[in-house]
Amino acid sequence: MRKTSLAAAMVAVVSLFAFVQIACQPAADTNRSESIAPPNTNSVRETVDTAAIETELLRIENDWPRVVKEKDVAAVGRVEADDAIFVYPDGSVGNKQQDLSDIGGGALTADAIEMTDLKVKVLDNDAAFVTGQTEFKNAKYKTPDGKAMDISGKYRFIDTFARRNGEWRLVAGISTKIAATAAATASPAASPAMKASPAAKVSPAASPAVKAPATTSSPMTKATP
């Protein structure tokens, strides 16, 4: 009996000692939060070769007159994205298929097409847009019903490019005809007729593509590759 009591007493002493040890441990500071360093978002900055991008997009835009003259549909196919969208001066909308049809079919003819005031705005390595002017001299656009529309004049445009699979693609474009000067408008025939002609549109690569007023949005007046 004493042996049992002694064993019980020893167990009690050991338990008491363990309890005291635990009680003497400093309490965890629950008011202290762990310091977590914020992610370093500036560790890797994208390097944008602005000069190289500008050179390539200006090359594409300045090649548009040749593309129209030579009916280079292959160039149009390379530069324009399959899902490209174009808005013409009269508000109608066109696409890549329209451009291919107009260029290949020779719907647009002109004594000369001049690209001027071209400026490239680089957004990042994969996005940029180009603004500029296209002038069509003695230019005609053949509508689907066989009529020839006079689309001569100056157009201001903006083309949006995206780099896809390492290649620049024209994904959107819009153009508007530049109103004649005060002196020219004074002449009854000069402005209304030219301004009213919705034939020009900003087409893919560099200049406003020409289109038929109510039906065809000919991407022809644009700068393509």
Side-chain angles (χ1 to χ4, degrees), residues 50 53-54 57 119-124 127-131 159:
T50 302
I53 294 173
E54 289 177 347
L57 296 188
K119 293 182 176 64
V120 179
K121 175 63 177 177
V122 178
L123 302 179
D124 56 39
F129 62 86
V130 181
T131 59
D159 286 340

Side-chain angles (χ1 to χ4, degrees), residues 51-208:
I53 294 173
E54 289 177 347
T55 298
E56 175 60 11
L57 296 188
L58 289 176
R59 181 196 68 76
I60 291 173
E61 295 287 1
N62 282 312
D63 194 37
W64 170 239
R66 180 199 66 78
V67 169
V68 174
K69 182 179 180 180
E70 299 178 8
K71 302 177 184 177
D72 191 349
V73 292
V76 177
R78 281 194 309 272
V79 170
E80 294 186 14
D82 291 342
D83 57 353
I85 297 177
F86 307 113
V87 178
Y88 308 130
D90 66 345
S92 60
V93 179
N95 53 35
K96 179 177 182 176
Q97 290 308 312
Q98 181 66 55
D99 272 12
L100 290 171
S101 174
D102 286 343
I103 294 292
L108 172 66
T109 58
D111 287 349
I113 300 175
E114 296 180 359
M115 310 297 298
T116 58
D117 196 26
L118 297 177
K119 293 182 176 64
V120 179
K121 175 63 177 177
V122 178
L123 302 179
D124 56 39
N125 265 324
D126 301 310
F129 62 86
V130 181
T131 59
Q133 291 185 45
T134 305
E135 181 175 5
F136 295 90
K137 297 182 178 180
N138 190 25
K140 307 289 183 186
Y141 175 73
K142 183 186 291 185
T143 61
D145 59 4
K147 295 180 180 178
M149 263 179 53
D150 184 354
I151 58 167
S152 304
K154 292 183 178 182
Y155 298 82
R156 184 169 290 282
F157 70 89
I158 179 169
D159 286 340
T160 302
F161 290 85
R163 197 199 305 257
R164 295 179 176 176
N165 298 320
E167 300 293 334
W168 285 100
R169 296 284 183 264
L170 178 64
V171 296
I174 185 170
S175 66
T176 184
K177 191 159 188 178
I178 299 174
T181 61
T185 24
S187 139
S191 167
M194 285 167 61
K195 190 179 174 191
S197 155
K201 71 152 211 142
V202 152
S203 89
S207 126

